Amino acid sequence: MRFDVKITTLNWLLDLFCPYTCQVCGCLGTIMCERCKNYMLEDCRKMEVFDCTIDPLGDLFVGGNRGDVLGMLISRYKYDSVRVLCNVLVEVLVGKIGLTAHDVVVVPLPTIAKHVRQRGFDHTLLLAQHLAVAKRWRCDQILTRRTNTVQVGTKARERMIQASKTYTLNKSVKSDVYYLLLDDVWTTGASMRSAAKILSEAGATMVGGAVVAMSKPVD
């Protein structure tokens, strides 16, 4: 006879025997205590809300600056595979997205396959799925990668050239749907602009972008 353990039960057992510690202050009991989370969210609220046109994006929504705490959380989420931090990062972003469109599809920018294997999960897809649930939208992987070029550490001009060859559509798009591209960090915007251009050329009339954090571009 086969028995299936519910995820909620598994999480309860893990919390009991292997409790989390706050990623900021180190206190026991949660991945990020309420005090530290409130401090971080308050800093993010003080940041100017981006709701502007950046061709070919109709809107760009940014959770906060890639400062000490937010940048550290993103790094631990991505590179240390602390997946539970996804909830905190999405919470940072949710309050900054002010869309009135009725039909919104969250589209994650595809992660390099090698990185997915190394980390054990697709960090951008997980963010997109959680954001879609939080906002009661849909998540769809309509973009795929044609190249596996790593952009970290490259200059802005190189990023733009690389990004123009990176993505392709794997299904058709609709003119009456708002497509919200999602990534974790905006550095030069090359990847998101390239993805937005592909969607627009395929017939999408409403394309925006959302990122958890804004980073300083590489000169």
Short mmCIF file of all heavy atoms in Angstrom, two decimals, residues 30-76:
data_model
loop_
_atom_site.label_atom_id
_atom_site.label_comp_id
_atom_site.label_asym_id
_atom_site.label_seq_id
_atom_site.Cartn_x
_atom_site.Cartn_y
_atom_site.Cartn_z
N THR A 30 11.95 31.61 11.85
CA THR A 30 11.40 31.97 10.55
C THR A 30 12.51 32.40 9.62
O THR A 30 13.59 32.82 10.07
CB THR A 30 10.36 33.11 10.68
OG1 THR A 30 9.81 33.42 9.40
CG2 THR A 30 11.00 34.36 11.28
N ILE A 31 12.26 32.28 8.31
CA ILE A 31 13.28 32.62 7.32
C ILE A 31 13.60 34.11 7.33
O ILE A 31 14.70 34.53 7.00
CB ILE A 31 12.83 32.19 5.90
CG1 ILE A 31 14.03 32.18 4.93
CG2 ILE A 31 11.72 33.07 5.38
CD1 ILE A 31 15.05 31.13 5.22
N MET A 32 12.62 34.93 7.75
CA MET A 32 12.84 36.36 7.92
C MET A 32 11.84 36.86 8.94
O MET A 32 10.63 36.81 8.71
CB MET A 32 12.69 37.11 6.60
CG MET A 32 13.18 38.55 6.66
SD MET A 32 13.24 39.33 5.03
CE MET A 32 14.05 40.88 5.43
N CYS A 33 12.33 37.34 10.07
CA CYS A 33 11.44 37.75 11.14
C CYS A 33 10.63 38.97 10.72
O CYS A 33 11.02 39.72 9.81
CB CYS A 33 12.22 38.03 12.42
SG CYS A 33 13.24 39.52 12.37
N GLU A 34 9.52 39.20 11.38
CA GLU A 34 8.62 40.30 11.03
C GLU A 34 9.31 41.65 11.15
O GLU A 34 9.07 42.55 10.34
CB GLU A 34 7.37 40.25 11.90
CG GLU A 34 6.42 39.13 11.55
CD GLU A 34 5.93 39.21 10.11
OE1 GLU A 34 5.54 40.31 9.67
OE2 GLU A 34 5.96 38.18 9.40
N ARG A 35 10.16 41.82 12.15
CA ARG A 35 10.83 43.10 12.34
C ARG A 35 11.73 43.42 11.16
O ARG A 35 11.66 44.51 10.58
CB ARG A 35 11.66 43.09 13.63
CG ARG A 35 12.35 44.42 13.92
CD ARG A 35 13.19 44.34 15.18
NE ARG A 35 14.28 43.37 15.03
CZ ARG A 35 15.19 43.13 15.98
NH1 ARG A 35 15.12 43.75 17.14
NH2 ARG A 35 16.15 42.24 15.77
N CYS A 36 12.57 42.47 10.76
CA CYS A 36 13.49 42.69 9.64
C CYS A 36 12.72 42.85 8.33
O CYS A 36 13.09 43.67 7.48
CB CYS A 36 14.49 41.54 9.54
SG CYS A 36 15.69 41.48 10.90
N LYS A 37 11.66 42.06 8.17
CA LYS A 37 10.88 42.16 6.94
C LYS A 37 10.20 43.53 6.84
O LYS A 37 10.19 44.15 5.77
CB LYS A 37 9.83 41.05 6.86
CG LYS A 37 9.04 41.05 5.56
CD LYS A 37 8.24 39.80 5.38
CE LYS A 37 7.06 39.74 6.32
NZ LYS A 37 6.17 38.60 6.01
N ASN A 38 9.68 44.01 7.96
CA ASN A 38 9.03 45.31 7.96
C ASN A 38 10.00 46.44 7.65
O ASN A 38 9.67 47.40 6.94
CB ASN A 38 8.34 45.57 9.30
CG ASN A 38 7.10 44.72 9.48
OD1 ASN A 38 6.48 44.28 8.50
ND2 ASN A 38 6.71 44.46 10.72
N TYR A 39 11.22 46.34 8.18
CA TYR A 39 12.25 47.33 7.88
C TYR A 39 12.55 47.34 6.38
O TYR A 39 12.67 48.40 5.76
CB TYR A 39 13.54 47.05 8.66
CG TYR A 39 13.51 47.48 10.10
CD1 TYR A 39 14.18 46.75 11.07
CD2 TYR A 39 12.81 48.62 10.51
CE1 TYR A 39 14.15 47.13 12.42
CE2 TYR A 39 12.78 49.02 11.83
CZ TYR A 39 13.45 48.27 12.79
OH TYR A 39 13.43 48.65 14.10
N MET A 40 12.71 46.15 5.81
CA MET A 40 13.02 46.06 4.39
C MET A 40 11.87 46.58 3.54
O MET A 40 12.09 47.34 2.58
CB MET A 40 13.33 44.61 4.00
CG MET A 40 13.72 44.46 2.53
SD MET A 40 13.88 42.74 2.02
CE MET A 40 12.17 42.19 2.14
N LEU A 41 10.65 46.19 3.85
CA LEU A 41 9.49 46.63 3.08
C LEU A 41 9.31 48.14 3.17
O LEU A 41 8.92 48.78 2.19
CB LEU A 41 8.23 45.92 3.57
CG LEU A 41 8.14 44.42 3.28
CD1 LEU A 41 6.89 43.83 3.91
CD2 LEU A 41 8.15 44.16 1.78
N GLU A 42 9.63 48.70 4.33
CA GLU A 42 9.53 50.15 4.49
C GLU A 42 10.53 50.86 3.60
O GLU A 42 10.22 51.88 2.97
CB GLU A 42 9.76 50.54 5.95
CG GLU A 42 9.58 52.02 6.23
CD GLU A 42 8.19 52.54 5.89
OE1 GLU A 42 7.22 51.77 5.99
OE2 GLU A 42 8.10 53.72 5.50
N ASP A 43 11.75 50.33 3.51
CA ASP A 43 12.76 50.90 2.61
C ASP A 43 12.30 50.81 1.16
O ASP A 43 12.51 51.74 0.38
CB ASP A 43 14.09 50.17 2.77
CG ASP A 43 14.81 50.54 4.06
OD1 ASP A 43 14.48 51.60 4.64
OD2 ASP A 43 15.69 49.76 4.50
N CYS A 44 11.67 49.69 0.81
CA CYS A 44 11.19 49.52 -0.57
C CYS A 44 10.03 50.48 -0.86
O CYS A 44 9.91 50.99 -1.98
CB CYS A 44 10.73 48.08 -0.80
SG CYS A 44 12.10 46.88 -0.79
N ARG A 45 9.20 50.74 0.14
CA ARG A 45 8.08 51.66 -0.07
C ARG A 45 8.58 53.08 -0.32
O ARG A 45 7.94 53.87 -1.02
CB ARG A 45 7.16 51.66 1.15
CG ARG A 45 6.39 50.36 1.35
CD ARG A 45 5.36 50.48 2.45
NE ARG A 45 4.84 49.18 2.83
CZ ARG A 45 5.20 48.51 3.91
NH1 ARG A 45 6.09 49.04 4.74
NH2 ARG A 45 4.70 47.33 4.19
N LYS A 46 9.71 53.43 0.28
CA LYS A 46 10.26 54.77 0.11
C LYS A 46 10.81 55.00 -1.29
O LYS A 46 10.94 56.13 -1.73
CB LYS A 46 11.38 55.01 1.13
CG LYS A 46 10.89 55.07 2.57
CD LYS A 46 12.07 55.22 3.52
CE LYS A 46 11.59 55.23 4.97
NZ LYS A 46 12.74 55.30 5.92
N MET A 47 11.12 53.88 -1.97
CA MET A 47 11.65 54.01 -3.33
C MET A 47 10.54 54.47 -4.26
O MET A 47 9.39 54.07 -4.14
CB MET A 47 12.19 52.66 -3.81
CG MET A 47 12.72 52.68 -5.23
SD MET A 47 13.21 51.04 -5.79
CE MET A 47 13.63 51.40 -7.50
N GLU A 48 10.90 55.32 -5.19
CA GLU A 48 9.94 55.80 -6.19
C GLU A 48 9.33 54.62 -6.94
O GLU A 48 10.03 53.71 -7.37
CB GLU A 48 10.64 56.72 -7.18
CG GLU A 48 9.74 57.23 -8.28
CD GLU A 48 10.49 58.03 -9.32
OE1 GLU A 48 11.71 58.25 -9.11
OE2 GLU A 48 9.89 58.42 -10.32
N VAL A 49 8.01 54.64 -7.09
CA VAL A 49 7.33 53.57 -7.81
C VAL A 49 7.50 53.79 -9.31
O VAL A 49 7.10 54.82 -9.85
CB VAL A 49 5.83 53.54 -7.46
CG1 VAL A 49 5.12 52.47 -8.27
CG2 VAL A 49 5.63 53.30 -5.98
N PHE A 50 8.11 52.84 -9.97
CA PHE A 50 8.30 52.93 -11.41
C PHE A 50 7.00 52.53 -12.10
O PHE A 50 6.45 51.47 -11.87
CB PHE A 50 9.43 52.00 -11.87
CG PHE A 50 10.79 52.57 -11.67
CD1 PHE A 50 11.33 52.68 -10.41
CD2 PHE A 50 11.54 53.01 -12.75
CE1 PHE A 50 12.60 53.21 -10.22
CE2 PHE A 50 12.80 53.54 -12.57
CZ PHE A 50 13.33 53.64 -11.30
N ASP A 51 6.50 53.41 -12.91
CA ASP A 51 5.33 53.13 -13.73
C ASP A 51 5.49 53.98 -14.99
O ASP A 51 4.77 54.94 -15.21
CB ASP A 51 4.05 53.49 -12.98
CG ASP A 51 2.80 53.08 -13.74
OD1 ASP A 51 2.94 52.54 -14.84
OD2 ASP A 51 1.69 53.32 -13.24
N CYS A 52 6.48 53.62 -15.77
CA CYS A 52 6.87 54.50 -16.87
C CYS A 52 7.05 53.70 -18.15
O CYS A 52 7.15 52.49 -18.15
CB CYS A 52 8.16 55.23 -16.53
SG CYS A 52 9.48 54.10 -16.04
N THR A 53 7.11 54.43 -19.25
CA THR A 53 7.32 53.81 -20.55
C THR A 53 8.81 53.69 -20.84
O THR A 53 9.53 54.67 -20.81
CB THR A 53 6.65 54.64 -21.66
OG1 THR A 53 5.25 54.71 -21.39
CG2 THR A 53 6.87 54.01 -23.02
N ILE A 54 9.29 52.48 -21.04
CA ILE A 54 10.67 52.23 -21.45
C ILE A 54 10.59 51.35 -22.68
O ILE A 54 10.45 50.13 -22.58
CB ILE A 54 11.49 51.55 -20.32
CG1 ILE A 54 11.50 52.44 -19.07
CG2 ILE A 54 12.90 51.26 -20.79
CD1 ILE A 54 12.30 51.86 -17.93
N ASP A 55 10.64 51.99 -23.83
CA ASP A 55 10.43 51.29 -25.10
C ASP A 55 11.24 49.99 -25.18
O ASP A 55 12.43 49.99 -24.89
CB ASP A 55 10.84 52.23 -26.25
CG ASP A 55 10.50 51.65 -27.61
OD1 ASP A 55 9.31 51.33 -27.80
OD2 ASP A 55 11.41 51.52 -28.43
N PRO A 56 10.61 48.85 -25.55
CA PRO A 56 9.22 48.68 -25.96
C PRO A 56 8.28 48.25 -24.82
O PRO A 56 7.24 47.65 -25.08
CB PRO A 56 9.33 47.57 -27.01
CG PRO A 56 10.43 46.70 -26.48
CD PRO A 56 11.41 47.63 -25.79
N LEU A 57 8.65 48.53 -23.57
CA LEU A 57 7.79 48.18 -22.44
C LEU A 57 6.76 49.28 -22.20
O LEU A 57 7.09 50.46 -22.24
CB LEU A 57 8.63 47.99 -21.17
CG LEU A 57 9.60 46.81 -21.14
CD1 LEU A 57 10.51 46.94 -19.93
CD2 LEU A 57 8.84 45.49 -21.09
N GLY A 58 5.53 48.87 -21.92
CA GLY A 58 4.51 49.85 -21.58
C GLY A 58 4.67 50.33 -20.15
O GLY A 58 4.43 51.49 -19.83
N ASP A 59 5.08 49.45 -19.26
CA ASP A 59 5.27 49.77 -17.84
C ASP A 59 6.48 49.01 -17.33
O ASP A 59 6.83 47.95 -17.84
CB ASP A 59 4.06 49.35 -16.99
CG ASP A 59 2.74 49.88 -17.53
OD1 ASP A 59 2.51 51.08 -17.36
OD2 ASP A 59 1.96 49.09 -18.09
N LEU A 60 7.09 49.56 -16.30
CA LEU A 60 8.13 48.84 -15.59
C LEU A 60 7.88 49.00 -14.10
O LEU A 60 7.89 50.12 -13.57
CB LEU A 60 9.53 49.37 -15.93
CG LEU A 60 10.67 48.73 -15.12
CD1 LEU A 60 10.76 47.23 -15.39
CD2 LEU A 60 12.00 49.40 -15.43
N PHE A 61 7.64 47.89 -13.42
CA PHE A 61 7.36 47.91 -11.98
C PHE A 61 8.56 47.32 -11.24
O PHE A 61 9.03 46.23 -11.57
CB PHE A 61 6.10 47.10 -11.67
CG PHE A 61 4.88 47.56 -12.43
CD1 PHE A 61 4.44 46.88 -13.55
CD2 PHE A 61 4.20 48.70 -12.03
CE1 PHE A 61 3.33 47.31 -14.26
CE2 PHE A 61 3.08 49.15 -12.73
CZ PHE A 61 2.65 48.44 -13.85
N VAL A 62 9.05 48.04 -10.24
CA VAL A 62 10.26 47.63 -9.51
C VAL A 62 9.97 47.54 -8.02
O VAL A 62 9.40 48.47 -7.43
CB VAL A 62 11.41 48.63 -9.75
CG1 VAL A 62 12.66 48.20 -9.01
CG2 VAL A 62 11.69 48.78 -11.24
N GLY A 63 10.36 46.41 -7.41
CA GLY A 63 10.12 46.23 -5.98
C GLY A 63 10.96 47.16 -5.12
O GLY A 63 10.45 47.80 -4.20
N GLY A 64 12.26 47.26 -5.40
CA GLY A 64 13.14 48.11 -4.61
C GLY A 64 14.53 48.15 -5.19
O GLY A 64 14.79 47.58 -6.25
N ASN A 65 15.42 48.86 -4.52
CA ASN A 65 16.82 48.91 -4.94
C ASN A 65 17.54 47.65 -4.48
O ASN A 65 17.24 47.11 -3.41
CB ASN A 65 17.51 50.13 -4.34
CG ASN A 65 17.10 51.42 -5.03
OD1 ASN A 65 17.09 51.51 -6.24
ND2 ASN A 65 16.73 52.41 -4.24
N ARG A 66 18.52 47.23 -5.26
CA ARG A 66 19.29 46.05 -4.89
C ARG A 66 20.34 46.47 -3.85
O ARG A 66 21.54 46.40 -4.07
CB ARG A 66 19.96 45.44 -6.11
CG ARG A 66 20.51 44.03 -5.83
CD ARG A 66 21.14 43.43 -7.07
NE ARG A 66 21.61 42.09 -6.82
CZ ARG A 66 22.23 41.32 -7.72
NH1 ARG A 66 22.44 41.80 -8.93
NH2 ARG A 66 22.62 40.11 -7.42
N GLY A 67 19.83 46.89 -2.69
CA GLY A 67 20.70 47.33 -1.61
C GLY A 67 21.17 46.17 -0.76
O GLY A 67 21.11 45.01 -1.17
N ASP A 68 21.59 46.49 0.47
CA ASP A 68 22.20 45.48 1.33
C ASP A 68 21.29 44.28 1.59
O ASP A 68 21.64 43.15 1.30
CB ASP A 68 22.60 46.12 2.67
CG ASP A 68 23.70 47.15 2.49
OD1 ASP A 68 24.43 47.04 1.49
OD2 ASP A 68 23.81 48.04 3.32
N VAL A 69 20.09 44.53 2.13
CA VAL A 69 19.21 43.43 2.53
C VAL A 69 18.57 42.76 1.33
O VAL A 69 18.63 41.54 1.18
CB VAL A 69 18.13 43.92 3.51
CG1 VAL A 69 17.13 42.80 3.80
CG2 VAL A 69 18.76 44.42 4.80
N LEU A 70 17.94 43.53 0.45
CA LEU A 70 17.24 42.95 -0.70
C LEU A 70 18.22 42.22 -1.61
O LEU A 70 17.93 41.12 -2.09
CB LEU A 70 16.49 44.04 -1.46
CG LEU A 70 15.55 43.56 -2.57
CD1 LEU A 70 14.54 42.55 -2.03
CD2 LEU A 70 14.82 44.75 -3.20
N GLY A 71 19.38 42.80 -1.84
CA GLY A 71 20.38 42.14 -2.68
C GLY A 71 20.87 40.85 -2.07
O GLY A 71 21.07 39.84 -2.76
N MET A 72 21.05 40.85 -0.75
CA MET A 72 21.49 39.64 -0.05
C MET A 72 20.44 38.54 -0.14
O MET A 72 20.75 37.37 -0.37
CB MET A 72 21.79 39.97 1.41
CG MET A 72 22.20 38.79 2.27
SD MET A 72 20.79 37.98 3.09
CE MET A 72 20.33 39.25 4.27
N LEU A 73 19.17 38.92 0.00
CA LEU A 73 18.09 37.93 -0.07
C LEU A 73 18.00 37.32 -1.47
O LEU A 73 17.80 36.11 -1.61
CB LEU A 73 16.76 38.57 0.31
CG LEU A 73 16.61 39.04 1.75
CD1 LEU A 73 15.23 39.68 1.96
CD2 LEU A 73 16.79 37.89 2.74
N ILE A 74 18.14 38.15 -2.50
CA ILE A 74 18.10 37.63 -3.87
C ILE A 74 19.25 36.67 -4.11
O ILE A 74 19.08 35.61 -4.72
CB ILE A 74 18.14 38.80 -4.88
CG1 ILE A 74 16.84 39.60 -4.82
CG2 ILE A 74 18.36 38.28 -6.30
CD1 ILE A 74 16.86 40.87 -5.65
N SER A 75 20.43 37.01 -3.64
CA SER A 75 21.60 36.15 -3.82
C SER A 75 21.42 34.80 -3.13
O SER A 75 21.73 33.75 -3.69
CB SER A 75 22.86 36.84 -3.29
OG SER A 75 23.17 37.97 -4.07
N ARG A 76 20.91 34.81 -1.90
CA ARG A 76 20.70 33.55 -1.17
C ARG A 76 19.59 32.72 -1.81
O ARG A 76 19.66 31.49 -1.83
CB ARG A 76 20.40 33.84 0.29
CG ARG A 76 21.60 34.40 1.04
CD ARG A 76 21.37 34.50 2.53
NE ARG A 76 22.58 35.00 3.19
CZ ARG A 76 22.66 35.28 4.48
NH1 ARG A 76 21.60 35.10 5.27
NH2 ARG A 76 23.78 35.73 5.00
#
